[in-house]
Amino acid sequence: MAIGKMTAILLVLTFLALPVLADTPPLPDKERCPVCGMFVAPYPNWIAVVQFKDDTKAYFDGPKDMFTYLADLNKYNPGAKLADISGVFVTDYYNVELLPASEVYFVSGSDVLGPMGEEYVTLRNSAEVKSFMRDHGGKKVLTYKEHHLIETDVE
């Protein structure tokens, strides 16, 4: 009888988790960063994604390479235009989840290093930015607008 109850509980939990799993993009096993050539999957805490209107995606081992890509899109993706992009996503440092780049802050110059050294650390709100900078330093806080980073103040 106990096995039956356990099975039922596991089935209910599985069905409850399915909608969450369906919204999470699959981790790109064999994807390489188009800027540096590194495999992306070993660095899930740093993944950044540019999604195009045709549902193709470019994956990056960190936001720094993603911004390099966006700054010279024709070099890394000949024929593509910024207008072809439907979304830009980065992994939140504390919660390790992909969020739209327009909804996070980027901290540069901290003591936290990414897969290739200095990296933009992405944080979802000003309270996290203040806490992070208290613990790890940081020289600038930036926000994302129209495929560019803009320096900002944190209130």
Side-chain angles (χ1 to χ4, degrees):
M1 188 63 127
I3 293 174
K5 286 182 183 180
M6 183 61 91
T7 302
I9 291 169
L10 287 174
L11 283 173
V12 168
L13 291 175
T14 300
F15 286 117
L16 290 174
L18 284 178
V20 174
L21 296 174
D23 292 341
T24 305
L27 192 60
D29 275 348
K30 301 293 182 200
E31 293 290 334
R32 288 179 179 259
C33 173
V35 173
C36 71
M38 286 178 60
F39 283 107
V40 175
Y43 310 102
N45 295 4
W46 296 98
I47 289 178
V49 181
V50 171
Q51 181 169 333
F52 292 90
K53 291 176 181 173
D54 66 1
D55 278 337
T56 58
K57 297 173 183 70
Y59 293 91
F60 305 87
D61 57 307
K64 183 174 62 176
D65 279 353
M66 181 189 70
F67 287 115
T68 298
Y69 176 89
L70 291 171
D72 200 354
L73 185 60
N74 196 49
K75 174 182 177 180
Y76 298 106
N77 191 347
K81 297 175 179 53
L82 291 175
D84 297 334
I85 296 172
S86 63
V88 177
F89 305 90
V90 293
T91 302
D92 173 59
Y93 179 76
Y94 286 122
N95 299 298
V96 191
E97 64 180 293
L98 279 176
L99 298 173
S102 60
E103 295 179 10
V104 301
Y105 291 95
F106 296 83
V107 175
S108 69
S110 75
D111 64 2
V112 173
L113 302 178
M116 292 188 55
E118 268 193 46
E119 185 59 84
Y120 293 112
V121 175
T122 58
L123 302 155
R124 74 172 59 219
N125 58 51
S126 59
E128 287 183 356
V129 169
K130 290 175 185 176
S131 175
F132 177 86
M133 291 182 80
R134 190 173 41 254
D135 295 340
H136 300 285
K139 294 181 180 145
K140 291 183 184 177
V141 179
L142 307 116
T143 57
Y144 172 81
K145 300 235 191 300
E146 299 295 320
H147 310 298
H148 300 285
L149 285 174
I150 301 166
E151 192 166 355
T152 190
D153 292 321
V154 177
E155 298 175 12

